[in-house]
Structure formats: C-alpha cells, structure tokens
Amino acid sequence: MGKSSRDKRDVFYRLAKEGNFRARSAYKLIQIDEEFDLFTGVFHVVDLCAAPGSWSQVVSQRLASDKNEGERAVKIVAVDLQAMAPLPGVVQIQGDITKKGTAEAIIEHFEGKSAHLVLCDGAPDVTGLPDFDEYVQAQLLLAAFNIATNVLVPEGTFLAKLFCGKDVLVLLSHLQKFFKEVVIAKPRTSRNSSIA
Ligand SMILES: C[S@@+](CC[C@H](N)C(=O)[O-])C[C@H]1O[C@@H](n2cnc3c(N)ncnc32)[C@H](O)[C@@H]1O
C-alpha cells in the first residue's frame, strides 16, 4: 500500500485535516501535553525542525490569551531547513539547526535565557539504513540540546524526538547531566512501526 493511501485511512491524518492542522504530528504534541502539561506558565517557545508547522500551530493556540502582555508576551520562534507558510505570531527562521549561525540567530531572539520550552521534532530524510538514520537524527537532537542549553530558563522544558537506537542510553546520559528529570514517552499518534 502506498504511503498516501495508508495516511488517508489514518485517524490522526483525518483529525489533522478536520482541525486545520498542517500535519498529523500536531496530535503527538497534543497528547504529550495532555500527559505532561507542557504549557502552564509558558510564554516563550522555540520550535525546532518545525515545518510544515503543525506543532507551531498547537503552540500558538495554547499560548493565545488576551492577558499576554509585558513579560507574558507570547514569543514563538520556529526554525526549519525548509520554508514554512507564515503563521500569525510565529517568527520564522529558515536554517540548519546544526549550524552555528542558525543557533546564534535563535539565541539572539532569546537573549537572557528566556525560553520556557524548546521543542524539536527533527528527523532526517530516512535512508532505510537504521544505524545511519539514527546517527543523523541523534545529531539533530544534540544540536537542539545545545540550543536549549543556551536559551532555556532554569527549570525550562526540552521536548525532542528521539529515534530509539543503540546509542539511546548515551544520549539520555547527556540529557540527565543537564535536566533534573528525563522521561521517554511514545504518544499513541506515533505509528507502531516508528522508532521515534
Ligand atoms: C517530522 S518533520 C517536523 C514536523 C513538524 N513538527 C510539524 O508538526 O509540522 C521534521 C522536520 O525536520 C526538518 N529538519 C531536518 N533536518 C534539519 C536541520 N538540520 N535543521 C533544521 N530542520 C531540519 C525537516 O526539514 C522537517 O521539516
């Protein structure tokens, strides 16, 4: 069965269409938020590897409020290699998150460590060679972690996609050095065949 016919039968694909989300992955973030309450007290968010933008859509819906002024003013920065259609209230940076210049452009927006939440749904174009795909995905996670360590407030949250490959424990040990708590979650929306 081709990818598009499989996706069309997928309940989250249909929900995404009905909810006007740009991708079914919106529901991954929604489900993780239901479990971990990502957005309480959060006004400033970095969405890495954000295209086509469904996570940014969820974030802007969750943060929208007429009380968001001053310190509570909403700031959302979305970054991807690919151009994204504009989203109201979302600043977009087109760039490679593994490059210093992109990291610096993001950090500039969050001078003084002011992001409450850093998201990264980064995935390479998979080649089908598991070791290679896991390695490239791990580089995205490490690049996102580097950015998070520069922009997050103390007690801030970093949520990142992770391909559960053989180096997963090494990656987790890096994260555990910086964060008080590190949790692995697999939202129901994640396809059973997915290692993310
Ligand atoms: C699964 S998609 C993200 C979906 C997005 N969270 C959404 O909900 O619409 C993975 C994204 O990672 C991006 N990506 C892969 N490598 C990247 C890199 N080095 N720098 C920036 N973005 C990258 C891809 O361009 C792709 O848009």
Side-chain angles (χ1 to χ4, degrees), residues 23 25 49-55 80-82 95-97 121-123 140 161:
S25 46
C49 301
S54 76
W55 281 22
D80 203 284
L81 280 176
Q82 300 176 41
D96 180 343
I97 65 160
D121 193 19
L140 293 178
K161 174 181 277 180

Side-chain angles (χ1 to χ4, degrees), residues 3 20-21 33 40 54 58 60-61 68 81 87-88 90 96 103 108 142 156 165 178-179 187 190 193:
K3 184 170 184 290
N20 279 327
F21 289 114
D33 176 41
T40 301
S54 76
V58 173
S60 36
Q61 285 179 6
N68 292 135
L81 280 176
L87 277 170
V90 177
D96 180 343
E108 223 168 84
L142 289 171
F178 191 80
F179 293 102
S190 195
S193 57

Side-chain angles (χ1 to χ4, degrees), residues 22-26 28 47-57 79-82 84 95-99 102 120-125 136 140 143 161:
R22 294 177 179 180
R24 71 192 286 293
S25 46
K28 286 188 193 167
D47 182 11
L48 300 170
C49 301
S54 76
W55 281 22
S56 288
Q57 289 180 292
V79 187
D80 203 284
L81 280 176
Q82 300 176 41
M84 256 167 65
D96 180 343
I97 65 160
T98 66
K99 296 279 185 277
T102 312
C120 178
D121 193 19
D125 286 336
V136 179
L140 293 178
K161 174 181 277 180

